[in-house]
């Protein structure tokens, strides 16, 4: 589903290049829930952005479903990202003037698709949002906002879910609900890549990797 091969990314700083990730190789197959742990500044978010076709690496290859995403045209890459990759971020990134249901449907604006309104309603029900679906983000709790963001990520039935500290702002009950949904997605032959510094969060994954100073390793069981 998702493969990174010898991927590296640096950022310019004070006249030099600072490595964020270095020679990272990682494969996430269908049915896998992979957690990447690491402290702040280890390169976790950079790794996720590169994996999600949002940030071009300086070296290496990223494949989603066999497609080399950075060899695609900008338009083709944007379409792949919209239809085959779902993103869940710690800060939710909801549109403040749209209702919860409209935020879920916002994922379908660019490329559309059949029965998206019905699927959005179904996702809202599955995630316990039906009574709140017409509320604005400012009227929702943090847990409800994260569930809206998760429903938005799932709208197009993606093959890959990428999650960046998705429970960092949530209480335990809402965190469990989010992790249950990520695990369910993997069990239905999706691929999940979670980055987190939380050991308990990583404990829900089927595989665990560690990112330190931009280098990825996989501890032995």
């Amino acid at each position: 589903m998702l493969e990174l091969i010898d991927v590296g990314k640096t950022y310019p700083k004070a006249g030099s290049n600072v490595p964020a990730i270095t020679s990272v190789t990682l494969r996430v197959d269908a049915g896998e829930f992979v957690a990447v742990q690491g402290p702040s500044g280890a390169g976790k978010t950079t790794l996720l952005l590169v994996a999600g076709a949002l940030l071009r690496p300086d070296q290496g290859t990223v494949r989603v479903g066999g497609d080399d995403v950075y060899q695609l045209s900008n338009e083709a890459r944007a379409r792949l990202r919209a239809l085959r990759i779902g993103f869940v971020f710690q800060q939710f990134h909801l549109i403040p003037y749209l209702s919860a249901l409209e935020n879920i449907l916002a994922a379908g604006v660019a490329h559309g698709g059949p029965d998206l309104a019905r699927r959005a309603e179904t996702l809202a029900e599955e995630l316990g949002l039906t009574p709140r679906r017409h509320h604005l983000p400012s009227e929702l709790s943090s847990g409800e906002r994260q569930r809206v963001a998760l429903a938005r990520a799932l709208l197009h039935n993606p093959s890959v879910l990428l999650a960046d500290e998705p429970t960092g702002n949530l209480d335990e009950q809402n965190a469990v609900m989010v992790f249950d949904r990520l695990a369910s997605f993997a069990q239905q032959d999706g691929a999940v890549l979670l980055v987190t510094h939380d050991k308990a969060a990583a404990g829900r994954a089927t595989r665990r990797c560690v990112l330190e100073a931009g280098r990825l390793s996989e501890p032995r069981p």
Side-chain angles (χ1 to χ4, degrees):
M1 287 288 194
L2 173 65
E3 188 173 22
L4 286 73
I5 304 169
D6 195 31
V7 170
K9 179 64 181 178
T10 61
Y11 295 110
K13 184 178 181 181
S16 63
N17 288 326
V18 177
I21 53 175
T22 304
S23 299
V24 168
T25 294
L26 175 66
R27 177 171 172 157
V28 186
D29 290 323
E32 284 197 300
F33 183 171
V34 177
V36 176
Q37 288 179 264
S40 297
K44 300 189 304 299
T45 296
T46 296
L47 173 64
L48 212 65
L49 293 174
V50 169
L54 286 168
L55 180 65
R56 183 181 294 274
D58 300 321
Q59 69 174 60
T61 301
V62 178
R63 295 195 180 104
V64 174
D67 289 321
D68 186 336
V69 299
Y70 292 105
Q71 292 300 313
L72 299 174
S73 67
N74 289 340
E75 181 179 354
R77 185 163 59 252
R79 183 170 181 81
L80 177 146
R81 191 168 56 235
L83 298 180
R84 294 162 64 184
I85 302 174
F87 295 88
V88 187
F89 297 107
Q90 182 177 355
Q91 300 301 327
F92 319 131
H93 298 304
L94 301 181
I95 300 170
Y97 53 83
L98 296 182
S99 70
L101 191 63
E102 290 167 338
N103 264 285
I104 297 170
L105 281 166
V109 168
H111 300 288
D115 298 323
L116 286 184
R118 183 181 302 174
R119 175 152 174 80
E121 291 276 9
T122 298
L123 287 166
E125 182 177 2
E126 290 176 355
L127 290 164
L129 292 166
T130 297
R132 311 284 283 168
R133 67 191 186 282
H134 298 306
H135 288 65
L136 296 174
S138 61
E139 300 170 315
L140 303 176
S141 69
S142 293
E144 288 166 342
R145 280 179 277 171
Q146 188 59 289
R147 281 181 271 148
V148 171
L150 178 55
R152 179 183 59 192
L154 293 168
L155 182 68
H156 275 298
N157 286 306
S159 55
V160 177
L161 266 185
L162 304 177
D164 189 358
E165 304 280 9
T167 60
N169 293 321
L170 305 186
D171 59 30
E172 183 177 357
Q173 181 179 358
N174 278 290
V176 167
M177 184 176 293
V178 169
F179 284 129
D180 284 348
R181 198 62 175 82
L182 294 178
S184 174
F185 178 83
Q187 289 162 4
Q188 295 170 28
D189 288 331
V192 178
L193 179 61
L194 163 75
V195 301
T196 183
H197 67 274
D198 186 338
K199 291 182 179 179
R204 296 295 303 272
T206 55
R207 270 174 57 208
R208 185 175 66 88
C209 302
V210 176
L211 189 67
E212 293 184 285
R215 294 188 177 273
L216 190 72
S217 61
E218 189 165 350
R220 292 184 179 181

